[in-house]
Amino acid sequence: MNYRKLGKTNFNISEIALGTWQVGGKWGSPFNDKTADELINTAIDKGVNFIDTADVYENGLSETAVGRVVRSRSERIYVATKCGRHINPHLNEGYQPKVLQKFVEDSLKRTGLETLDLIQLHCPPTEVYYRPEIFELFDRLKEQGKIQNLGVSVEKVEEGLKAIEYPNVTTVQIIFNLFRQRPSELFFKEAQKKDVGIIARVPLASGLLTGLFDSKTTFGAQDHRNFNRGGAAFDKGETFSGIDYELGLKAVEALKALFPEATNLAPIALQWILSFNEISCIIPGASKASHVESNLSVYDLPQLTPEKIAAMNAIYEQYIKPEVHQLW
């Protein structure tokens, strides 16, 4: 495992971390505590020391599992969670300091931790980024010892750029992968200037970049890859990075031709992200322990050559960029 600094938090974290949206099993299936514990313990055993969760993941069960395992371990494990998505309807008006403070306190109870290493606003509406009173709240929570750092999870580059104008924002979690390249143009430079850690989320484009899907692949009724392709439930950029599924499959076929020896493209896709020094860590999800091991097999591969990276980028330029580049 390699480690990188998470911006001005000064945390030294594993560059491959763990996202826990589906830590208790596949999307839509009942939460399995045994699966969650095995998965999180496997990640820590392999050197992962940064775990990202959220209060809405499995309605709090993910946070509970993360806290339970972290408290049982002797290693220093950094826990990041998120708040805000419980606001319903999820509108700017619902974001109020007292509401957010209650969310933070609830997360502390579920995790059983004395303080949260990182609390992140969870993809709030764009207007929230223009409200200083929301960001000031977290200075008070830090003074009270309830949190150590504030970050944001964003949908759009614009939101990330606005968020880092607030001095207490230490990290930005943003969708970044081979099929979502726009953040690297301007946002990375601005974040680096302000020593803001960058957490790459949705790194495998909801599994599309594993190369294991085809036109006959089906997803469960409660799986967002089934019901949210058009953005029916939340921003469609969260699902397959907002790419038309069939178009994405064509691009993946071109990737397979570039790496004919690969049976799973996931480690190669993660390698591509890690080629950016501005990235602090990647948070690929996993629904079973073998997924953790697959993600960490990135270290078993030869380093990507500049020629291979250029060829991967050419696939983006041909298939993906014309359709989605400016949308987020």
Side-chain angles (χ1 to χ4, degrees):
M1 178 64 73
N2 295 328
Y3 298 83
R4 301 186 182 193
K5 187 167 79 78
L6 183 60
K8 53 191 171 184
T9 69
N10 288 319
F11 296 159
N12 198 36
I13 62 169
S14 49
E15 62 184 14
I16 304 288
L18 177 65
T20 61
W21 190 357
Q22 48 180 328
V23 74
K26 289 184 178 180
W27 277 305
S29 62
F31 192 93
N32 187 306
D33 286 311
K34 183 179 178 182
T35 297
D37 288 11
E38 179 188 5
L39 196 160
I40 297 168
N41 275 305
T42 297
I44 296 172
D45 290 343
K46 299 285 186 181
V48 170
N49 73 346
F50 183 83
I51 301 175
D52 178 79
T53 185
D55 56 3
V56 291
Y57 292 172
E58 296 290 347
N59 200 29
L61 294 176
S62 172
E63 279 189 330
T64 300
V66 169
R68 179 174 63 243
V69 174
V70 168
R71 295 195 318 272
S72 76
R73 303 287 301 220
S74 60
E75 301 91 336
R76 175 62 166 107
I77 309 299
Y78 298 98
V79 174
T81 190
K82 309 183 202 74
C83 65
R85 291 309 293 258
H86 272 307
I87 295 169
N88 188 19
H90 190 235
L91 301 172
N92 173 45
E93 293 75 16
Y95 276 76
Q96 300 298 330
K98 63 181 180 180
V99 172
L100 294 169
Q101 177 160 347
K102 177 68 162 53
F103 290 156
V104 169
E105 291 167 350
D106 288 346
S107 290
L108 283 168
K109 289 175 185 173
R110 277 189 293 271
T111 60
L113 300 172
E114 293 182 5
T115 186
L116 299 173
D117 294 311
L118 178 64
I119 185 72
Q120 303 156 103
L121 291 174
H122 197 175
C123 300
T126 303
E127 302 96 312
V128 172
Y129 296 93
Y130 293 82
R131 294 173 56 197
E133 76 275 14
I134 296 299
F135 291 82
E136 288 166 2
L137 162 71
F138 294 92
D139 285 330
R140 296 200 298 276
L141 294 178
K142 184 174 181 180
E143 290 167 4
Q144 295 166 12
K146 293 176 180 177
I147 69 166
Q148 295 300 309
N149 295 281
L150 170 66
V152 295
S153 182
V154 303
E155 299 287 6
K156 302 174 183 176
V157 167
E158 171 202 345
E159 295 166 347
L161 291 170
K162 182 60 184 174
I164 64 176
E165 291 181 10
Y166 296 97
N168 64 344
V169 170
T170 63
T171 65
V172 172
Q173 192 176 130
I174 193 166
I175 297 176
F176 182 66
N177 58 54
L178 181 61
F179 289 172
R180 176 75 73 87
Q181 297 197 21
R182 189 180 176 206
S184 64
E185 291 179 348
L186 172 63
F187 175 71
F188 281 15
K189 297 183 185 72
E190 295 304 312
Q192 198 168 41
K193 284 180 191 174
K194 300 191 176 185
D195 196 19
V196 169
I198 301 174
I199 301 169
R201 67 188 188 93
V202 196
L204 300 176
S206 307
L208 191 59
L209 281 165
T210 64
L212 302 177
F213 301 162
D214 60 30
S215 59
K216 297 177 183 176
T217 301
T218 59
F219 302 97
Q222 300 304 311
D223 190 322
H224 73 103
R225 294 172 294 186
N226 176 38
F227 65 76
N228 195 57
R229 294 187 190 187
F234 41 82
D235 191 295
K236 74 174 186 177
E238 299 276 354
T239 304
F240 300 127
S241 291
I243 300 157
D244 175 77
Y245 182 65
E246 296 298 330
L247 175 64
L249 290 178
K250 289 179 183 177
V252 167
E253 286 304 309
L255 271 177
K256 287 180 178 178
L258 189 59
F259 297 95
E261 73 289 354
T263 56
N264 178 3
L265 293 174
I268 295 168
L270 297 179
Q271 268 192 315
W272 180 89
I273 297 173
L274 290 175
S275 71
F276 290 83
N277 293 327
E278 299 93 337
I279 292 290
S280 299
C281 76
I282 309 174
I283 49 170
S287 60
K288 51 188 176 181
S290 61
H291 293 162
V292 173
E293 292 167 353
S294 167
N295 294 333
L296 294 178
S297 69
V298 66
Y299 296 116
D300 299 331
L301 300 178
Q303 193 168 2
L304 286 174
T305 64
E307 292 76 19
K308 286 284 191 182
I309 290 174
M312 294 169 78
N313 290 337
I315 292 170
Y316 172 77
E317 295 279 340
Q318 178 182 351
Y319 291 94
I320 308 299
K321 186 174 183 177
E323 301 298 324
V324 302
H325 188 78
Q326 296 303 322
L327 296 183
W328 290 278

